[in-house]
């Protein structure tokens, strides 16, 4: 190992640093292949120490994003007490979700037109601004505005980490880093309610948002110092900003977010605040469909300059990965949202304790996500993990749908762990598949599409699930004599025992459990259809693509890289 050539990834020779004249000259002399992909040689990427300095802030941002999704749930009671805003509770989550989901594809397009480093940092500033507005909000409306701003920034940060990894490490090493991102995300999901409870009980709920400011400052400083993306690694872009703006596809960037907003608003209101036949629900649904049709027409008209170019979406692996991501995200987010409600309502757990009780599922996700990252790096293939995920997840979700108030704790742990393992096996694989199936210049849009489908699936089916749960609960409670249906159906899960007379509580819990089981049947169905996407993904190896690119440009570099890899494995 001590005789490794200076251009190897672990070398510290300054000539191998990104942006160094030697590397720029080398990349300048390279001719890209048919996919506009530069050779995947180790000389094109930063050395290990710089890579670590880049990955730490990316991990930290992923942690903050996951934390920001869940931390507010525990803080809501304190927020509503201070602002007297119980009617606004739904918007604290919805405002964040609407902007995040709506502008995710727009963010992917920005990453293809501008330097990913500056797009990521600009998104971080927007996210931090939203957090600052939330932390200092004088009233409920200000808090909702802050959540919308934070969601807008988060829309570009989620896929940004994956996109930056493309320019930091070779393809065959990316699955392991993406597995680590999945692990960080899972840990944040696990401790989110605990951190939220600690802040709410201690310095106050505003620290649930202010915590993002110092952490974001650290991320900003580290990326400014260490992240350098050589210009030759980027697609050749127009010279002026005016030309770049023309390529953003402003029509597509208007129609798609508008369609998503209308859809989510209709699902948020339909069957709960208003009947499905009410014009406030029908009109958003109609507009959502019309706007999506207009978006599709614009994409065909714009061709390769579209927000979602047709040649990307027609790619078999990308289309299959998008399908898998949509239903996998729907399964994951619906379980994470409603399992704590089951523990709070049926077992009488506090919000913080319910967060602890779903740890078996979160740990399962973390373990399998990290394991698949490591194994994919060694084996090269990722399709088998998608298939395994689509087999284990329906089994775990189906077992969860059988739980009752008397189900033993050990059984609950096993069911959750199995579902978590299944979800984790497939969590990061669609993004890996997109990176393997697409040239570097299209990876930003491909990764954004996977993330968009994952988040949209959760957003849609959390709303659909809420409708199923509320309808089933009202129907089930109708058979319990002496119960105020409307009051019990709308009361929070933690307040259920305070509102229901002790002699009626067992029957009410049975009705509540049956309604949640109907919801878990839906989750099981969502998990079952993941298999269609998993089976359609092509069997391609990340190692094969890396070696083909390297051999085409520099056969000797391939031999050297293989020797270095083998030496590293022995060490």
């Amino acid at each position: 190992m001590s005789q490794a050539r200076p251009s190897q990834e672990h070398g510290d020779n300054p000539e191998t640093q990104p942006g160094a004249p030697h590397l720029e000259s080398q990349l300048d002399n390279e001719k890209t292949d048919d996919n506009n992909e530069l050779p995947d040689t180790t000389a094109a990427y930063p050395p290990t120490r710089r890579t670590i300095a880049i990955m730490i802030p990316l991990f930290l941002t992923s942690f903050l994003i996951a934390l920001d999704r869940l931390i507010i749930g525990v803080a809501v009671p304190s927020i509503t007490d201070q602002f007297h805003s119980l009617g606004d509770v739904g918007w604290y989550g919805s405002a964040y979700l609407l902007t995040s989901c709506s502008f995710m594809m727009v963010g992917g397009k920005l990453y293809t037109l501008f330097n990913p480093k500056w797009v990521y940092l600009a998104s971080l500033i927007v996210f931090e601004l939203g957090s600052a507005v939330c932390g200092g909000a004088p009233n409920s409306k200000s808090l909702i505005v802050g959540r919308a701003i934070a969601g807008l920034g988060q829309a570009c940060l989620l896929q940004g980490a994956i996109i930056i990894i493309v320019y930091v490490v070779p393809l065959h090493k990316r699955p392991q880093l993406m597995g680590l991102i999945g692990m960080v995300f899972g840990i944040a999901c696990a401790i989110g309610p605990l951190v939220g409870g600690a802040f709410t009980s201690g310095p106050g709920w505003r620290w649930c948002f202010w915590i993002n400011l110092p952490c974001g400052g650290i991320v900003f400083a580290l990326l400014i110092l260490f992240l350098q993306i050589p210009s030759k690694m980027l697609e050749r872009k127009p010279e002026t900003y005016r030309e770049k703006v023309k390529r953003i596809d402003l029509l597509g960037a208007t129609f798609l977010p508008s369609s998503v907003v209308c859809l989510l608003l209709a699902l948020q209101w339909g069957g709960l605040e208003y009947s499905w036949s009410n014009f406030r629900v029908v009109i958003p649904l109609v507009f959502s469909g019309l706007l999506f049709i207009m978006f599709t027409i614009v994409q065909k008209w714009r061709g390769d300059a579209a927000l979602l170019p047709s040649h990307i979406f027609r790619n078999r692996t990308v289309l299959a990965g998008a399908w898998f991501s949509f239903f996998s995200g729907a399964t994951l987010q619906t379980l994470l949202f409603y399992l704590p409600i089951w523990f709070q309502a049926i077992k009488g757990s506090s919000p913080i304790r319910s967060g602890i009780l779903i740890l078996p599922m979160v740990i399962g996700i973390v373990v399998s996500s990290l394991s698949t990252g490591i194994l994919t790096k060694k084996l090269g293939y990722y399709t088998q993990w998608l298939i395994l995920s689509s087999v284990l997840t329906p089994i775990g979700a189906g077992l969860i749908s059988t739980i009752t108030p008397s189900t033993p704790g050990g059984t609950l742990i096993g069911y959750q762990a199995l579902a978590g393992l299944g979800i984790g096996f497939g969590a990061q694989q669609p993004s890996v598949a997109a990176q393997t199936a697409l040239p570097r210049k299209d990876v930003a849009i491909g990764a954004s599409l996977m993330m968009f489908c994952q988040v949209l699936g959760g957003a849609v089916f959390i709303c659909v699930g809420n409708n199923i749960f509320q309808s089933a609960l009202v129907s089930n409670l109708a058979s319990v004599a002496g119960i105020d249906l409307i009051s019990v159906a709308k009361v929070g899960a933690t307040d259920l025992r305070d509102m229901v007379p002790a002699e009626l509580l067992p029957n009410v819990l049975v009705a509540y459990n049956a309604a949640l089981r109907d919801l878990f049947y839906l989750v099981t169905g969502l998990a079952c259809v993941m298999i269609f996407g998993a089976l359609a993904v092509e069997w391609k190896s990340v190692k094969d693509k890396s070696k083909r690119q390297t051999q085409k440009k520099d056969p000797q570099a391939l031999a050297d890289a293989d020797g270095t890899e083998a030496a590293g494995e022995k060490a």
Side-chain angles (χ1 to χ4, degrees), residues 109-269:
K109 187 66 175 182
L110 293 176
Y111 277 110
T112 66
L113 297 176
F114 301 93
N115 190 310
K117 173 180 178 177
W118 302 116
V119 176
Y120 191 87
L121 292 177
S123 304
L124 179 63
I125 291 174
V126 175
F127 178 73
E128 295 289 286
L129 176 62
S131 299
V133 171
C134 291
N139 52 53
S140 181
K141 289 183 174 58
S142 301
L143 181 63
I144 293 171
V145 170
R147 291 291 288 167
I149 295 173
L152 183 61
Q154 184 248 19
C156 293
L157 290 175
L158 272 176
Q159 71 267 37
I162 297 173
I163 292 165
I164 289 175
I165 287 176
V166 171
Y167 299 97
V168 174
V169 296
L171 175 62
H172 67 284
K173 295 185 178 181
R174 294 172 200 162
Q176 187 170 3
L177 289 179
M178 294 177 65
L180 288 172
I181 289 180
M183 181 189 72
V184 169
F185 212 85
I187 292 173
C189 291
I191 69 172
L194 305 180
V195 174
F199 282 142
T200 303
S201 303
W205 62 265
R206 295 182 186 274
W207 274 96
C208 293
F209 307 105
W210 281 336
I211 187 62
N212 293 332
L213 302 182
C215 294
I218 294 172
V219 171
F220 194 92
L222 287 174
L223 291 181
I224 284 286
L225 289 173
F226 295 106
L227 180 57
Q228 303 284 339
I229 300 178
S231 59
K232 301 304 177 183
M233 291 184 74
L234 303 172
E235 178 193 6
R236 294 189 180 276
K237 303 177 178 63
E239 295 181 355
T240 66
Y241 276 88
R242 177 175 295 182
E243 290 174 321
K244 291 181 180 181
V245 170
K246 287 182 179 178
R247 293 183 58 194
I248 290 178
D249 184 12
L250 295 177
L251 285 176
T254 301
F255 290 143
L256 181 61
S258 300
S259 175
V260 172
V261 168
C262 289
L263 173 63
L264 294 182
L265 284 176
L267 293 175
Q268 186 85 6
W269 290 336

Side-chain angles (χ1 to χ4, degrees), residues 355-365 412-414 416-418 420-421:
I356 296 174
L357 291 173
I358 66 168
L359 279 178
M361 187 172 74
V362 174
I363 292 173
I365 294 172
L412 287 171
I413 291 174
Q416 287 188 78
L418 182 60
L421 285 171

